[in-house]
Amino acid sequence: MIRQLRNVPLTAIFGILVIVSYAVIAIFAPLIAPYPETAIVGMEYLPWSEEFLLGTDSLGRDMLSRLIYGARNTLGIALATTVIAFVIGCSVALLAVTLQGWVDQLISRMVDVMMSIPTLITSLLLLMIFGTSVLNLILIIALLFSTIVFRIARAVAMGVVVMDYVEAARIRGEGLLWIMFREILPNAATPLVAEFGLRFTFVFLTISALSFLGLGVQPPLADWGAMVRENASLITFGDLTPLLPAGAIALLTLAVNFIVDWMLHMSSGLKD
């Protein structure tokens, strides 16, 4: 294990450190943030100072505290959404591959129809219809991204289901769930784990984009995408505060991509 850690590239180490830092900030946000998430602690748009290290926003809330709480809200919602999308997408994909025949064709065609509609436009439409609560946001985004997970999981599982050990499990009389989750899934896990990281970044960016448009995480909850929109006018006065949540989004996306690249490199068996 120590020898493997020595061979980890600097980009992957950077990505791991960033993700661990974000996780610590998100978990211990109430202990780290100097002020409560929604507390109005001063005048509007106060500059950076010793009392307010990153100034205040349009309502007089501490920007540093909002940025810290935004990590908890944005990352928590994105992680929950990605997990649900993978549970749905992988389960349906394994079912289709195991049963094959008309079941596989029916599910695949339904997924093709859903994927033909742009994700962002569909998200905006469904959120306007069903409301912009956190639960609706998670379920709608998870359902839309589960179609992409289905396609990838199905492609990976198709190469596993034809193996001899899967046929041996059928001959032994193993049930459907056993073949799906004990024979196919473990042997398709490596590319799916890497895809989980990559898909997390797309979900994360989609939620931030929806918040920027006003249909994502709703006030008074702190969200990085909404923080950019709420304080965008400060840029015209030379204040770079709105770029901080945007930079936090970009940094996390870069860190996850570094780790995914390393994981794919390790699973491929290629040498440096």
Side-chain angles (χ1 to χ4, degrees):
M1 181 177 180
I2 296 176
R3 183 166 56 252
Q4 290 180 350
L5 290 176
R6 290 176 179 174
N7 295 328
V8 176
L10 293 178
T11 53
I13 294 176
F14 171 78
I16 293 172
L17 292 176
V18 170
I19 292 177
V20 170
S21 300
Y22 275 48
V24 171
I25 292 173
I27 294 171
F28 299 103
L31 301 177
I32 299 174
Y35 298 98
E37 180 179 5
T38 60
I40 298 177
V41 295
M43 299 295 293
E44 299 85 353
Y45 295 134
L46 290 177
W48 297 9
S49 63
E50 293 183 0
E51 184 178 4
F52 307 112
L53 296 180
L54 298 180
T56 60
D57 65 3
S58 57
L59 297 179
R61 298 169 296 190
D62 180 56
M63 280 292 295
L64 177 59
S65 300
R66 299 280 292 174
L67 196 64
I68 293 172
Y69 276 100
R72 164 179 284 192
N73 297 331
T74 307
L75 297 182
I77 293 173
L79 181 60
T81 304
T82 308
V83 170
I84 295 174
F86 261 76
V87 170
I88 296 174
C90 289
S91 299
V92 177
L94 293 177
L95 179 65
V97 169
T98 305
L99 295 179
Q100 298 184 359
W102 67 270
V103 176
D104 183 23
Q105 290 298 318
L106 177 62
I107 297 175
S108 298
R109 299 296 78 78
M110 292 174 60
V111 170
D112 290 341
V113 172
M114 294 180 64
M115 292 183 65
S116 64
I117 306 174
T119 302
L120 186 58
I121 296 176
T122 308
S123 303
L124 291 171
L125 178 62
L126 293 178
L127 287 171
M128 291 177 64
I129 295 173
F130 295 105
T132 56
S133 66
V134 173
L135 180 60
N136 287 342
L137 178 65
I138 292 175
L139 294 179
I140 289 172
I141 302 300
L143 180 62
L144 294 176
F145 274 89
S146 66
T147 58
I148 303 175
V149 175
F150 169 84
R151 272 297 175 196
I152 296 171
R154 180 181 179 275
V156 175
M158 287 292 288
V160 177
V161 74
V162 296
M163 295 296 178
D164 293 338
Y165 52 81
V166 178
E167 186 62 29
R170 295 183 189 273
I171 296 174
R172 289 199 311 267
E174 301 292 355
L176 177 65
L177 295 179
W178 177 280
I179 295 175
M180 288 171 54
F181 296 107
R182 297 297 297 273
E183 301 292 344
I184 300 177
L185 182 59
N187 294 284
T190 300
L192 291 179
V193 170
E195 176 61 24
F196 182 90
L198 187 61
R199 198 53 48 196
F200 171 80
T201 61
F202 283 104
V203 171
F204 175 71
L205 292 173
T206 300
I207 293 174
S208 298
L210 290 172
S211 298
F212 181 82
L213 296 173
L215 290 175
V217 181
Q218 296 299 301
L221 294 177
D223 179 82
W224 289 340
M227 290 176 65
V228 175
R229 173 176 55 85
E230 293 168 356
N231 302 280
S233 59
L234 292 177
I235 298 179
T236 59
F237 300 100
D239 192 335
L240 301 181
T241 303
L243 298 181
L244 295 178
I249 295 172
L251 183 61
L252 179 63
T253 303
L254 187 65
V256 173
N257 283 327
F258 281 157
I259 296 178
V260 170
D261 287 343
W262 172 58
M263 292 177 62
L264 290 175
H265 179 77
M266 293 290 292
S267 64
S268 66
L270 297 175
K271 302 298 182 180
D272 292 331

